[in-house]
């Protein structure tokens, strides 16, 4: 027996789904969190004696059966075509008139509907009363007050769902038989439906606080969404997130963790004392050392995940969208893009997927393509490592790379706008402002632990294998003999990476070790740290005795042999060139076009290269007074890439002019 969970965005569907199934799917306090269908069996205690297994199907939020965005069409498609046995319609009880529009459409499908008047706790606090008995009569279906966050009313909802499932449903309002392609007729029909819904709401609801009254929440919103103050507050909030996770609390815990890892590594080395040097190197340095170096940074990432989960839960994200909207509009994006960008600071894959909730196709693709310029959680170890080794652990480094990421998003968006002719297209922006609430520490902790688990699994699988492969490739030469000391350049790894390293000379880090790290970084960005640990034979980058990241920073910096300008260039190259393969896969499915995908990858490659070139060369001029090595070849490469971009812009503009320009002229002449 399948029971669908449908309703407006942010009404609490996923919270209810999690409560009934024991899952921990992503919940957040803004519209558009769930972007795909999720299924899971309902716990026995809620199955209210049903003989068959009950399957809950969580769906993305939708305002109506006529979808505007890809994720809305998943919902309407499912309830229309997949015949669930019953629909639980989760209605945000604080926003009845908006929600019932969709309810009346669901009631027309002939599938039994149970209305869960969710968030009824908020109504209680605000003194809003809803006559559920009367509402049930008007709608012709059971109406039950629920609070998903505390499971109130859920047993009753399930009882009704089980007893009604498979039976029919009589609709209280039937849409007239109209031509759905006739926009005027559809609009008129929608207006009639609204009138019907408002009539019901007028009868069943009594409010203490009227919608037009200003509440405390409105006053807070006035400040948080203010054009100037809003941006300053947002910058301060994000800075605090990075500062706490990467400079304060994160490193403190990391230090303790690394102590354990080092002890473990010592123990493994002890066990292997009498075995072959290759085996020792592979197990103790390659696997334990490499994976340990990556896991050592886990606390930084975890603290960050925790803080972002708190931000998601309190209702602030939607406000940030509003603040950023006018700025993003200028570059052809919309305020909604900010949510994918913030999610990407955790991981690029859900970040890219979150772009699905943006209506305009061009904006959606631009967002998916640019999201990974925001450094993700896997890049934190890389940032922290370079900051510690070359810049004394300075927190300006991480702040800088996030701001450069934002700047690149703006520049990239401007470029896409140029290429796709944004001036010919219009878009609009609707963002609902959800209620503020005190974020749940428990939920944030769960979300953090879930992500930490994924990070550890990744370290123990992909990263472990990569490190082992790197270790083997650097231990042997092509004759499959062990490489002797001083002959490291002849290893398989070195000979493969050297041609790539040549390309990196104008960026200041044209050595095979850095090239190898960048290449393994495409498999997973943590690999940059793992590979550097393996190829340079270093292990823990966090020094336990000095309670600091790489207490032996000077020594490590010497081993790497980079100037500070080259180090910063190397860091930025690893951050802004294309993300890991998994994120590229997500880009592929969201962009839905090979042209856009390759355009995106090309843009990322060109951007990463150019930024690294500029940072190294300008940095070298500032510090030494003359340009760095490989300046001219690098300049030629960068100019060639720029020329290609200019050519694409000119060509596409000509095409657009032919397509739209004529149209505009015609329109102008007629007027
Ligand atoms: N006060 C209160 N808050 C709730 C209740 N149910 C859910 N919430 C909160 O509402 C917000 C949205 O919850 P979700 O479960 O993500 O909503 P959703 O309907 O799945 O949203 P989308 O996936 O975006 O369509 C979260 O912050 C929840 O904690 C409730 O009964 N009472
Ligand atoms: Mg949801």
């Amino acid at each position: 027996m399948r029971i669908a969970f449908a309703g407006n965005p942010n009404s609490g569907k996923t919270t209810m789904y999690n409560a009934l199934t024991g899952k921990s799917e992503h919940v957040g306090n803004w519209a558009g969190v769930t972007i795909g269908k999720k299924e899971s069996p309902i716990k026995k205690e809620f199955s209210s004696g049903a003989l068959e297994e009950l399957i809950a199907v969580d769906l993305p939020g939708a305002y109506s059966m006529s979808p505007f965005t890809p994720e809305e069409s998943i919902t309407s498609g499912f309830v229309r075509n997949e015949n669930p046995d019953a629909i639980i319609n989760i209605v945000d009880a604080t926003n009845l008139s908006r929600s019932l529009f969709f309810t009346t459409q669901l009631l027309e499908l002939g599938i039994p509907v149970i209305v869960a008047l969710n968030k009824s706790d908020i109504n209680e606090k605000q003194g809003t009363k809803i006559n559920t008995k009367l509402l049930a009569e008007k709608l012709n279906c059971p109406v039950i007050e629920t609070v998903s966050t505390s499971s109130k009313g859920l047993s009753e909802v399930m009882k009704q769902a089980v007893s009604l499932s498979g039976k029919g449903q009589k609709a209280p309002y039937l849409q007239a038989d109209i031509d759905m392609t006739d926009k005027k007729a559809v609009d008129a029909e929608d207006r009639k439906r609204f009138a019907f819904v408002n009539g019901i709401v007028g009868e069943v609801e009594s409010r203490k606080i009227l919608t037009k009254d200003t509440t405390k929440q409105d006053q807070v919103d006035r400040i948080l969404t203010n054009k100037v103050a809003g941006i300053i507050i947002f910058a301060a909030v994000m800075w605090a997130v990075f500062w706490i996770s990467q400079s304060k609390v994160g490193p403190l815990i990391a230090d303790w963790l690394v102590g354990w890892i080092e002890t473990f590594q010592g123990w493994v080395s002890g066990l292997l004392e009498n075995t072959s040097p290759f085996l020792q190197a592979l197990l103790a340095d390659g696997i334990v050392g490499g994976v340990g170096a990556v896991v050592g940074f886990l606390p930084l990432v975890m603290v960050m995940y925790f803080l972002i989960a708190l931000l998601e839960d309190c209702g602030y994200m939607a406000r940030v969208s509003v603040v950023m909207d006018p700025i993003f509009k200028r570059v052809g994006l919309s305020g909604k893009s900010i949510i994918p960008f913030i999610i990407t600071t955790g991981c690029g894959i859900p970040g890219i997927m979150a772009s699905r909730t943006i209506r305009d196709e061009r904006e959606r693709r631009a967002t998916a393509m640019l999201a990974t310029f925001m450094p993700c959680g896997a890049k934190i170890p890389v940032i922290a490592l370079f900051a510690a080794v070359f810049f004394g652990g300075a927190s300006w480094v991480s702040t800088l790379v996030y701001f450069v990421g934002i700047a690149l998003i703006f520049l990239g968006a401007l470029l896409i706008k140029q290429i796709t002719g944004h001036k010919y297209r219009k878009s609009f922006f609707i963002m609902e402002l959800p209620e503020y609430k005190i974020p749940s520490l428990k939920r944030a902790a769960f979300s953090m632990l879930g992500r930490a688990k994924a990070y550890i699994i990744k370290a123990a699988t992909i990263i472990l294998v990569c490190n082992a492969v790197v270790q083997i490739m650097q231990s042997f030469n092509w004759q499959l003999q062990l490489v002797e000391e001083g002959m490291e350049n002849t290893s398989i790894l070195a000979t493969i990476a050297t041609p790539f390293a040549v390309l990196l000379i104008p960026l200041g880090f044209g050595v095979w070790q850095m090239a190898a790290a960048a290449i393994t970084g495409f498999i997973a960005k943590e690999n940059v740290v793992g590979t550097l640990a393996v190829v340079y034979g270093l292990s823990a980058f966090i020094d336990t005795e000095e309670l600091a990241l790489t207490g032996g920073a000077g020594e490590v910096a010497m081993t790497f042999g980079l100037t500070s300008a080259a180090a910063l260039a190397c860091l930025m190259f690893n951050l802004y060139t294309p993300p890991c393969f998994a994120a590229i896969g997500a880009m592929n499915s969201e962009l839905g076009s090979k042209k856009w995908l390759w355009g995106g990858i090309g843009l990322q490659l060109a951007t990463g290269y150019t930024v690294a070139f500029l940072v190294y060369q300008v940095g070298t001029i500032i510090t030494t007074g003359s340009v760095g090595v490989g300046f001219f070849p690098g300049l030629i490469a960068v100019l060639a890439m720029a020329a290609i971009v200019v050519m694409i812009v000119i060509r596409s503009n000509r095409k657009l002019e032919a397509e739209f320009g004529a149209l505009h002229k015609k329109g102008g002449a007629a007027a």
Side-chain angles (χ1 to χ4, degrees):
M1 202 186 280
R2 278 196 311 173
I3 299 174
F5 287 49
N8 285 177
N10 207 42
S11 54
K13 299 176 293 300
T14 305
T15 313
M16 189 175 292
Y17 172 88
N18 285 344
L20 291 173
T21 60
K23 289 264 161 190
S24 47
E25 294 299 340
H26 198 155
V27 164
N29 196 8
W30 79 89
V33 181
T34 307
I35 46 179
K37 187 185 84 173
K38 293 270 156 61
E39 286 193 20
S40 174
I42 288 174
K43 284 196 263 182
K44 273 276 167 302
E45 56 193 282
F46 287 110
S47 65
S48 64
L51 297 174
E52 255 182 88
E53 191 180 40
L54 300 181
I55 308 282
V57 183
D58 186 25
L59 295 165
Y63 292 106
S64 108
M65 287 294 283
S66 335
F68 274 111
T69 58
E71 105 277 9
E72 267 191 326
S73 57
I74 294 178
T75 303
S76 56
F78 182 84
V79 291
R80 199 174 268 146
N81 307 325
E82 306 227 356
N83 291 321
D85 297 279
I87 298 174
I88 296 181
N89 173 215
I90 291 94
V91 161
D92 181 348
T94 63
N95 213 329
L96 201 57
S97 52
R98 189 203 57 206
S99 318
L100 291 186
F101 184 89
F102 187 46
T103 306
T104 57
Q105 289 184 322
L106 290 174
L107 285 163
E108 282 185 58
L109 297 168
I111 299 166
V113 173
I114 295 92
V115 169
L117 269 188
N118 198 37
K119 303 199 180 180
S120 52
D121 54 325
I122 301 180
N123 267 0
E124 212 161 285
K125 253 185 247 151
Q126 296 178 340
T128 303
K129 289 212 172 67
I130 295 172
N131 183 340
T132 47
K133 214 170 134 234
L134 186 60
L135 182 59
E137 269 168 38
K138 297 263 171 204
L139 293 177
N140 226 342
C141 73
V143 175
I144 297 145
E145 287 195 342
T146 59
V147 182
S148 294
T149 37
S150 67
S151 298
K152 186 190 148 201
L154 300 195
S155 302
E156 179 60 20
V157 168
M158 286 315 299
K159 207 169 107 199
Q160 294 284 354
V162 169
S163 77
L164 290 177
S165 90
K167 301 208 172 95
Q169 172 71 52
K170 216 171 136 253
Y173 179 92
L174 273 173
Q175 178 153 315
D177 199 8
I178 52 161
D179 174 10
M180 290 306 281
T181 54
D182 180 358
K183 204 171 164 300
K184 260 201 189 134
V186 173
D187 280 352
E189 204 41 53
D190 282 354
R191 243 174 274 129
K192 263 196 240 158
R193 189 188 292 273
F194 266 122
F196 173 77
V197 164
N198 282 332
I200 297 184
V201 175
E203 281 185 65
V204 301
E205 185 188 73
S206 67
R207 277 177 178 263
K208 215 174 191 175
I209 308 166
L210 296 177
T211 326
K212 62 176 174 26
D213 294 347
T214 17
T215 56
K216 247 198 214 129
Q217 168 157 336
D218 296 335
Q219 287 165 353
V220 176
D221 277 344
R222 219 165 276 160
I223 302 169
L224 290 189
T225 60
N226 176 282
K227 261 192 209 140
V228 181
I231 292 174
I232 298 172
I233 293 170
F234 174 52
V237 167
M238 287 320 280
W239 179 80
V241 168
F242 300 136
W243 183 72
I244 295 171
S245 61
Q246 290 166 48
S247 299
K248 287 287 141 196
V249 185
L252 212 70
I253 312 172
D255 187 66
W256 171 84
L257 177 65
V258 166
W260 285 96
I261 296 174
E262 280 184 335
T263 313
F264 179 67
Q265 194 180 11
W267 179 76
V268 173
S269 302
L271 283 186
L272 298 170
E273 218 165 347
N274 299 321
T275 56
S276 81
F278 168 68
L279 199 66
Q280 285 178 27
L282 179 66
L283 292 179
D285 301 338
I287 293 181
V288 180
V291 172
V294 173
V295 172
F297 289 99
L298 176 63
L300 279 70
V301 184
M302 277 174 78
V303 174
M304 168 108 157
Y305 284 154
F306 183 75
L307 295 175
I308 291 196
L310 292 183
L311 269 188
E312 287 183 356
D313 204 22
C314 69
Y316 181 57
M317 297 267 266
R319 274 78 190 178
V320 181
S321 298
V322 174
V323 173
M324 298 303 276
D325 190 54
I327 306 174
F328 275 30
K329 267 223 177 82
R330 293 205 176 169
V331 294
L333 294 173
S334 88
K336 268 214 160 173
S337 312
I338 194 78
I339 288 177
F341 297 153
I342 294 180
I343 295 179
T344 299
T345 57
C347 174
I349 297 162
I352 291 166
M353 280 162 56
S355 65
R356 213 177 280 178
T357 61
I358 299 170
R359 283 185 183 201
D360 180 80
E361 188 181 50
R362 199 196 51 80
E363 277 173 24
R364 184 167 67 237
R365 285 174 160 170
T367 305
M369 202 162 127
L370 300 170
T372 53
F373 282 135
M374 277 317 273
C376 67
K379 290 173 182 167
I380 289 178
V382 189
I383 301 168
L385 172 66
F386 276 82
V389 169
F390 296 99
F391 304 100
S395 52
W396 65 259
V397 178
S398 57
T399 314
L400 177 76
V401 296
Y402 285 97
F403 277 96
V404 171
I406 295 171
L408 292 177
I409 286 175
F410 277 112
L411 291 175
L414 269 179
L415 184 65
I416 296 171
K417 184 175 153 180
Q418 280 301 320
I419 294 175
T420 57
H422 174 71
K423 64 181 166 180
Y424 295 118
R425 294 160 216 256
K426 267 193 242 150
S427 97
F428 58 99
F429 167 80
I430 304 172
M431 186 80 206
E432 221 175 296
L433 295 185
E435 291 276 327
Y436 285 109
K437 59 180 247 210
I438 296 172
S440 151
L441 292 180
K442 190 174 130 201
R443 199 158 327 120
F446 270 114
S447 148
M448 170 185 79
L449 290 175
R451 301 254 200 133
K453 193 173 137 199
Y455 186 98
I456 292 172
I457 291 174
K458 197 167 153 198
T461 52
I462 302 178
I463 291 166
L464 186 146
V465 171
C466 285
N467 286 336
V469 171
V470 167
Q471 178 72 45
I472 294 170
M473 283 169 68
Q474 93 158 342
S475 301
F476 290 95
N477 59 24
W478 289 99
Q479 286 76 43
L480 300 184
Q481 294 155 335
L482 276 175
V483 172
E484 278 168 40
E485 235 181 276
M487 297 291 286
E488 283 86 359
N489 291 345
T490 60
S491 74
I492 297 178
L493 185 69
T495 44
I496 292 179
T498 303
F500 293 99
V502 174
L503 299 176
L504 303 178
I505 291 173
L507 315 184
F509 51 96
V511 288
W512 67 265
Q513 289 92 335
M514 290 295 169
I519 295 168
T520 57
F522 290 123
I523 300 169
K525 287 291 162 180
E526 297 94 331
N527 268 335
V528 174
V529 170
T531 302
L532 289 179
V534 173
V535 293
Y536 286 118
L538 304 160
S539 61
F541 287 121
I542 302 169
D543 187 56
T544 36
E545 266 141 47
E546 291 199 16
L547 271 175
L549 287 163
T550 46
E555 221 173 283
V556 181
M558 284 255 289
T559 320
F560 283 6
L562 301 183
T563 64
S564 343
L568 197 58
C570 182
L571 171 62
M572 293 199 175
F573 181 82
N574 280 305
L575 297 185
Y576 307 130
T577 43
C580 62
F581 289 133
I584 292 179
M587 266 170 65
N588 181 30
S589 57
E590 293 310 316
L591 292 172
S593 138
K594 287 282 171 286
K595 204 164 122 192
W596 274 80
L597 177 69
W598 287 111
I601 295 174
L603 177 73
Q604 289 161 344
L605 268 176
T607 306
Y609 196 90
T610 307
V611 170
F613 174 75
L614 291 176
V615 166
Y616 172 60
Q617 297 294 347
V618 173
T620 308
I621 292 173
I622 293 172
T623 46
T624 66
S626 59
V627 294
V629 284
F631 176 75
F632 287 103
L635 188 66
I636 291 168
V638 168
L639 289 178
M641 288 188 284
I644 293 174
V645 168
V646 170
M647 238 167 59
I648 295 175
V649 170
I650 293 175
R651 244 188 39 201
S652 69
N653 270 328
R654 257 196 225 134
K655 236 167 76 190
L656 283 164
E657 189 70 32
E659 195 180 323
F660 288 90
L663 214 78
H664 275 231
K665 269 185 214 128
K666 221 162 85 191

